Amino acid sequence: MASRTSYFNGPLYRKTVLRFWPLWGLASFFALLVPLSLFLGNVFASDLSVRDLRSLYSSALSMLPTLLLPWAVICAVMVWNYLDTPRTVNAMHALPLRREALFLTHFLAGLTMLLLPFAVSGAGLVLGSLFNRCLDLNDVAVTVVIVLLQGFFYFSSATLVAHITGLMAAIPILYFILHFLEAVLEFVLQNLLALLLPGLTNSFYRDTGLLRALSPTVYFLSNSDYSSAEGGLGGVNVTINALYALLGLALLIAALLLYRRRKSESAGDVVAFSWMRPVFLVGVTACAALCGGLLLYSLLFQNLPLKPIAVGVAMTIAGLIGYYIARMLLTKSVRVFRTGWPGALVTAALCFVFAFTFALDLPGFSRYVPRVDQIEFLTLDTWNGSYDMKAGSDDAAIAEVLALHEALAAGRYIDGSGMDLTGIDETGQSVYVGLNYSLSSGREVVRRYHVFVSPEQIAVDGSAAQLLDQLIRSREMEAVRMKLNDPDFRLEWGDIQSPDYNYSVDLSTRERSALYAALREDVSAGRCGNPTWYLWDEGVYNREIVACLSFSGSDGENSYAGFDVNVTERMTATVACLKTLGYYEKVLP
Amino acid sequence: MIEVRDLTKRFGDFTALDSASLTVPGGSVYGLVGPNGAGKSTLLRHLSGVYRQDAGTVRIGGEDVWENTALKARLGVVPDDWFYYPQASVHDMMLHYRSLYPAFNTERYEKLKEVFTIGEKQPVRRLSKGMQKQVAFWLTLSCMPEVLLLDEPVDGLDPVMRRQVWSLMLGDVEQRGMTVLVSSHNLRELEDVCDHVGILERGRVLLERSLAELQDNMVKLQVVFPDGADQLPPELPVLHASKLGRVHTLIMRMGADEAQRRLAEYQPLLCDALPLTLEEIFIYELEGEDYGVKNIVL
């Protein structure tokens, strides 16, 4: 019998698949409900079209990663569970089969279990499509290929994890950690740095490019549009799936190489290879220090003075917990405290080094200001809206914003946290400043500040408040905000509102064009802006009409923009326009 | 023939086998004896291809065992904790064995039904431990192995079934020249069936000999010295001594003739040589290794 010395054993494959029939049977039953509900619902109407089905395939494909992620690890736990206990692993390894044969047989059995529910659902959909005469072979083929590619990738990654650990319960934990490690670490680091450093933010989802690909599910979900240029399914994202399948093949080969070297006696160990144990120890300690440190700092220490020490203490506590848990898992003993103290000391020392390095911003993250020649696009968000600036056309405005950013990065402002105004006895306002840079290198730089603006602060030369005041009131910035120099934007809609916002009038195309022209004239003449613009709590805008205009760009919905303008009496052209239109007295009580 | 040379196996800092060597002649029944933790099961797992040695060689019939599927197909293994699939019946397990072992003999399997009176459709997990062991023997012997490796094989079997199982195995040894390596604490049982014995202690094979050789190398004597002498002559090489009344019971590492010749110098009133059981040999051999079985009254 060839199978006895080959790399695959048919009877063992069948045995393995059939052993777990309740699991994949149940999954297949639920999978079958999809075509059943669709076609039974339409059996009398018979109005299903190729387009309806394409839409269904498309939705199914966008959901696929969230289905495959847990299902793959369930199947992996089922087929590789023999590696968990000495009894089963000894029995399997005593069989007259090579490790390669055991590996491939169990892998294929697991992959079969993984794909069976999808096959059942797919077969149901194809039969229903034939019945309704709305079968599109291209759509079916693309769907099948994507399911196969993603299924292979997910199951390969789960297989690799199963061969790293010797403990069945650890497979799903490690699997999910590794699948989201990049996203979680990014989240934690962003939050930690945002807590430590002024200007850095935790609220912005950044596209980390190729790094994001290390979190495959997140990457798949953000690249889940499979519509091709021809109208059917296909497109560039199929290639992404193929690349992940190639990665899955590499993971599978790595898993096989590990399995060939794996010792049977590692059954039950959290980490099956002795050379991986230091990696596990350091990894768990580092993750615990970062994640637990962030949690502890946020919960307990955030309001304490001496931020570096507070962060260091929080990270050390969490890091030590992680360190000792990792040691307990590795040694399968709770007696780890006496022998583990050198590692504990190193952990504490590294936590404090990390805390001081970042709390004192030795890498200079918060001091970093992009150079003007690096910037491709810049958005300033502040109290009165967004200012979108393009390199080339808005260089003067960009220079003004960079001057403000440099003042903020150098710490020449009050109220870095945006919260603590204790001790400031001035009439003023905390003003939000958000800066989003798109650099020509493809990098995104995001900074968030709160600047306390008051007459006293504005009077200080070079202060952030002074620079912000100049920026808000400058003609260049107002022109940017109102898209006066941006021919790509088309005026779409406009209204004027009473100061208390209780009364508004929609403007016709002609009226809003006239208003926009008047605003342009006032901006050019430097008649816009309010010298005490920051005193909105003091009622400086209580008697000013608000003009709202909105635009659409050349990309349609993707480039919508709008702004509000408080019409002061200095804006003579605008006031005259509103009077001509007959709205001035009507809107202003 | 099974040949193990300088086999070393470490589990972390613990050395389970420390340059262990043994030779099992083909067609023999070899008893591997040792206290708990001596390394018996570890050695058997090397022989069954489960463990890979850190050093040394493990060969059966001149071939290395590790990843040798052709060789493993000729091995039968009955471990102490025999594996079966949780939902499997005896019949399912038979199919499993049949699909994996080319020499599986269905005719023999059918014949053995008469010995192992267990319903084929019964789920193995519902059987008692002893019955599960019977199934293990049933299937393993149906594979017609050339080499049979047994780890504490008859634990849980009733005396009648033990006799039957041994009878089957010894029949295979006689008819097919099957080699049996059996590890056990049941020294009484090994004495009845083994022709070779190896003693394993702390990962080392202390000695291995044929049973006859072993028994000839150690002697138990009952001696009564004249004039009620209480003390043994210190120059006598005695492994263990005890005294009941005037009768000294001595264990000496030498042949019976040699021991009696040396004791004759002291003109004993009584000097009888008694046969040693394997259990006694085991205990005294290990006592010499400081195993701590002193003061056992035999």
Side-chain angles (χ1 to χ4, degrees):
Chain A
M1 292 169 71
S3 64
R4 284 176 195 124
T5 50
S6 73
Y7 295 100
F8 177 73
N9 186 276
L12 186 63
Y13 166 81
R14 284 192 293 277
K15 181 86 196 160
T16 309
V17 174
L18 290 175
R19 271 175 69 201
F20 300 109
W21 72 264
L23 190 74
W24 54 257
L26 189 67
S28 300
F29 170 75
F30 284 116
L32 192 59
L33 293 181
V34 176
L36 276 180
S37 65
L38 182 75
F39 293 117
L40 286 180
N42 290 279
V43 74
F44 298 111
S46 295
D47 58 353
L48 270 183
S49 65
V50 171
R51 200 171 168 176
D52 293 332
L53 276 173
R54 184 170 299 144
S55 164
L56 178 74
Y57 289 137
S58 201
S59 308
L61 288 177
S62 60
M63 277 169 47
L64 193 61
T66 39
L67 295 173
L68 279 171
L69 178 75
W71 180 232
V73 77
I74 290 170
C75 293
V77 167
M78 292 299 114
V79 293
W80 300 117
N81 71 351
Y82 75 85
L83 296 169
D84 180 59
T85 53
R87 177 171 165 260
T88 48
V89 82
N90 292 350
M92 283 293 169
H93 290 170
L95 292 175
L97 293 172
R98 290 185 63 83
R99 290 275 180 112
E100 290 87 344
L102 280 172
F103 181 86
L104 192 63
T105 305
H106 282 98
F107 177 80
L108 290 176
L111 194 61
T112 306
M113 286 161 54
L114 177 92
L115 294 174
L116 268 170
F118 295 97
V120 167
S121 184
L125 279 172
V126 168
L127 285 176
S129 309
L130 280 173
F131 182 75
N132 282 273
R133 293 178 186 171
C134 55
L135 180 71
D136 184 318
L137 283 177
N138 172 66
D139 290 354
V140 172
V142 170
T143 307
V144 168
V145 165
I146 289 171
V147 170
L148 287 175
L149 294 175
Q150 277 193 29
F152 178 77
F153 166 73
Y154 275 104
F155 192 64
S156 295
S157 64
T159 295
L160 178 64
V161 171
H163 286 82
I164 288 172
T165 178
L167 192 66
M168 192 169 60
I171 295 176
I173 297 169
L174 280 178
Y175 173 80
F176 282 109
I177 287 175
L178 291 177
H179 264 265
F180 292 100
L181 189 61
E182 182 272 339
V184 171
L185 279 183
E186 188 201 329
F187 171 81
V188 170
L189 278 171
Q190 271 191 23
N191 276 276
L192 206 56
L193 293 181
L195 280 173
L196 291 173
L197 302 176
L200 271 73
T201 175
N202 59 352
S203 59
F204 186 69
Y205 174 83
R206 292 192 303 169
D207 181 9
T208 50
L210 267 184
L211 268 183
R212 171 70 62 218
L214 293 174
S215 293
T217 306
V218 180
Y219 201 72
F220 276 134
L221 290 174
S222 52
N223 294 281
S224 60
D225 181 8
Y226 293 102
S227 0
S228 71
E230 293 77 32
L233 290 181
V236 70
N237 287 337
V238 180
T239 317
I240 290 174
N241 282 269
L243 290 174
Y244 269 109
L246 275 179
L247 175 64
L249 183 64
L251 298 180
L252 188 65
I253 292 168
L256 174 61
L257 293 176
L258 286 177
Y259 187 49
R260 285 176 54 165
R261 298 185 62 82
R262 186 182 169 113
K263 293 177 175 175
S264 301
E265 59 267 29
S266 66
D269 291 350
V270 176
V271 180
F273 297 90
S274 54
W275 58 269
M276 278 188 193
R277 291 176 186 195
V279 179
F280 177 80
L281 186 66
V282 171
V284 171
T285 307
C287 287
L290 286 172
C291 302
L294 173 67
L295 185 72
L296 277 181
Y297 180 77
S298 311
L299 289 177
L300 304 176
F301 303 132
Q302 202 169 2
N303 295 323
L304 293 182
L306 297 171
K307 198 183 265 187
I309 293 176
V311 173
V313 168
M315 286 184 67
T316 301
I317 293 171
L320 287 179
I321 292 171
Y323 170 74
Y324 279 115
I325 287 175
R327 280 185 67 92
M328 285 175 194
L329 289 170
L330 288 175
T331 57
K332 295 188 219 169
S333 164
V334 291
R335 296 179 180 178
V336 293
F337 295 100
R338 191 176 291 175
T339 53
W341 65 267
L345 279 182
V346 172
T347 302
L350 288 176
C351 286
F352 271 96
V353 167
F354 181 92
F356 273 84
T357 302
F358 289 99
L360 301 176
D361 195 18
L362 297 183
F365 292 139
S366 65
R367 293 192 300 277
Y368 173 71
V369 179
R371 292 194 317 271
V372 68
D373 59 324
Q374 292 177 301
I375 298 166
E376 207 164 66
F377 196 81
L378 167 60
T379 302
L380 165 70
D381 292 304
T382 187
W383 72 283
N384 61 348
S386 282
Y387 298 77
D388 295 325
M389 289 154 269
K390 275 186 206 156
S393 58
D394 301 312
D395 286 347
I398 289 174
E400 281 191 64
V401 177
L402 285 179
L404 171 66
H405 189 178
E406 274 165 11
L408 291 167
R412 297 199 300 271
Y413 65 99
I414 300 178
D415 187 22
S417 67
M419 299 289 288
D420 185 15
L421 296 171
T422 317
I424 297 175
D425 186 20
E426 296 170 13
T427 301
Q429 188 66 45
S430 179
V431 179
Y432 168 74
V433 175
L435 300 166
N436 291 7
Y437 295 93
S438 296
L439 304 186
S440 46
S441 62
R443 203 179 140 203
E444 300 267 330
V445 177
V446 182
R447 296 290 183 266
R448 300 280 184 266
Y449 301 92
H450 284 81
V451 183
F452 185 71
V453 183
S454 67
E456 290 84 350
Q457 295 298 321
I458 289 173
V460 177
D461 277 346
S463 71
Q466 187 183 64
L467 290 166
L468 180 62
D469 176 61
Q470 288 170 4
L471 189 144
I472 295 278
R473 293 165 57 195
S474 83
R475 290 182 207 184
E476 288 79 13
M477 292 306 292
E478 202 63 341
V480 166
R481 192 168 78 92
M482 295 185 191
K483 314 278 181 209
L484 297 179
N485 304 324
D486 202 335
D488 289 344
F489 281 88
R490 201 174 66 249
L491 196 53
E492 281 284 323
W493 181 83
D495 72 355
I496 50 172
Q497 298 181 18
S498 62
D500 57 6
Y501 293 95
N502 285 334
Y503 178 76
S504 69
V505 179
D506 285 354
L507 301 175
S508 67
T509 308
R510 186 187 59 81
E511 289 170 338
R512 56 181 178 252
S513 296
L515 179 65
Y516 194 46
L519 282 170
R520 182 188 294 274
E521 192 184 328
D522 281 332
V523 169
S524 302
R527 292 193 293 264
C528 280
N530 187 327
T532 54
W533 54 269
Y534 49 89
L535 296 178
W536 54 82
D537 283 349
E538 309 295 320
V540 296
Y541 299 110
N542 283 0
R543 285 199 49 79
E544 289 174 359
I545 292 172
V546 182
C548 310
L549 293 171
S550 57
F551 307 82
S552 65
S554 52
D555 296 345
E557 287 179 1
N558 294 330
S559 55
Y560 172 85
F563 66 87
D564 294 355
V565 179
N566 289 89
V567 182
T568 62
E569 287 182 2
R570 288 176 62 227
M571 300 164 69
T572 49
T574 308
V575 170
C577 172
L578 288 175
K579 283 182 177 168
T580 309
L581 294 173
Y583 293 133
Y584 192 77
E585 289 79 11
K586 203 183 278 183
V587 174
L588 201 63
Chain B
M1 188 169 74
I2 298 172
E3 270 191 301
V4 175
R5 287 286 162 266
D6 300 321
L7 175 59
T8 300
K9 181 70 178 177
R10 293 182 200 90
F11 299 122
D13 299 333
F14 174 66
T15 303
L17 290 173
D18 186 6
S19 293
S21 297
L22 61 81
T23 306
V24 182
S28 66
V29 180
Y30 187 108
L32 188 60
V33 189
N36 293 331
K40 300 185 299 294
S41 299
T42 304
L43 198 146
L44 285 178
R45 283 175 193 148
H46 280 89
L47 285 168
S48 55
V50 172
Y51 285 174
R52 189 175 200 176
Q53 66 270 29
D54 293 328
T57 54
V58 182
R59 293 184 167 186
I60 296 178
E63 295 178 59
D64 285 326
V65 178
W66 179 254
E67 287 293 83
N68 188 338
T69 50
L71 174 62
K72 283 161 86 175
R74 305 198 300 270
L75 295 182
V77 185
V78 180
D80 187 32
D81 52 350
W82 180 66
F83 168 79
Y84 53 87
Y85 290 111
Q87 303 93 352
S89 65
V90 177
H91 184 74
D92 293 334
M93 288 307 294
M94 183 274 284
L95 296 177
H96 177 64
Y97 271 67
R98 197 174 68 180
S99 68
L100 290 161
Y101 289 90
F104 189 91
N105 189 326
T106 312
E107 205 177 308
R108 184 166 207 215
Y109 171 79
E110 294 296 333
K111 256 188 201 171
L112 289 177
K113 269 185 194 171
E114 292 163 19
V115 179
F116 303 104
T117 51
I118 297 168
E120 270 192 288
K121 298 290 174 195
Q122 283 208 56
V124 182
R125 70 188 151 85
R126 295 251 175 97
L127 301 174
S128 69
K129 190 187 170 194
M131 291 169 92
Q132 288 177 358
K133 203 101 196 201
Q134 288 183 43
V135 177
F137 275 108
W138 183 1
L139 297 175
T140 307
L141 291 175
S142 300
C143 293
M144 310 298 279
E146 290 173 19
V147 175
L148 188 58
L149 305 170
L150 310 170
D151 193 359
E152 304 288 349
V154 288
D155 274 9
L157 294 183
D158 60 64
V160 176
M161 189 49 70
R162 282 181 190 202
R163 195 172 289 270
Q164 279 186 313
V165 166
W166 273 117
S167 164
L168 284 168
M169 289 192 287
L170 293 176
D172 278 6
V173 171
E174 193 182 328
Q175 289 159 23
R176 299 194 291 111
M178 181 174 78
T179 306
V180 180
L181 174 57
V182 50
S183 89
S184 178
H185 290 116
N186 194 332
L187 302 170
R188 283 290 314 135
E189 197 159 78
L190 288 188
E191 192 167 25
D192 294 340
V193 294
C194 291
D195 43 33
H196 287 74
V197 173
I199 295 181
L200 196 65
E201 156 73 348
R202 291 178 189 164
R204 288 183 166 184
V205 178
L206 294 184
L207 67 96
E208 56 167 348
R209 295 203 182 97
S210 70
L211 200 61
E213 218 179 343
L214 202 58
Q215 282 169 336
D216 287 349
N217 197 39
M218 196 177 281
V219 63
K220 179 160 84 173
L221 296 142
Q222 286 189 327
V223 186
V224 177
F225 292 104
D227 304 328
D230 281 340
Q231 298 300 315
L232 283 175
E235 61 274 17
L236 275 179
V238 175
L239 277 179
H240 182 88
S242 60
K243 190 178 173 218
L244 191 63
R246 291 184 64 191
V247 180
H248 292 266
T249 304
L250 309 178
I251 309 290
M252 298 173 76
R253 194 194 297 276
M254 58 186 68
D257 293 344
E258 166 73 4
Q260 281 177 325
R261 191 182 58 72
R262 292 187 68 167
L263 281 165
E265 292 174 21
Y266 306 98
Q267 298 175 328
L269 299 175
L270 171 75
C271 184
D272 282 348
L274 305 173
L276 273 157
T277 62
L278 188 57
E279 194 169 32
E280 287 169 323
I281 296 171
F282 169 70
I283 288 168
Y284 289 117
E285 283 292 349
L286 295 184
E287 190 180 31
E289 289 292 311
D290 197 23
Y291 180 56
V293 285
K294 289 169 183 160
N295 304 318
I296 295 176
V297 179
L298 299 167

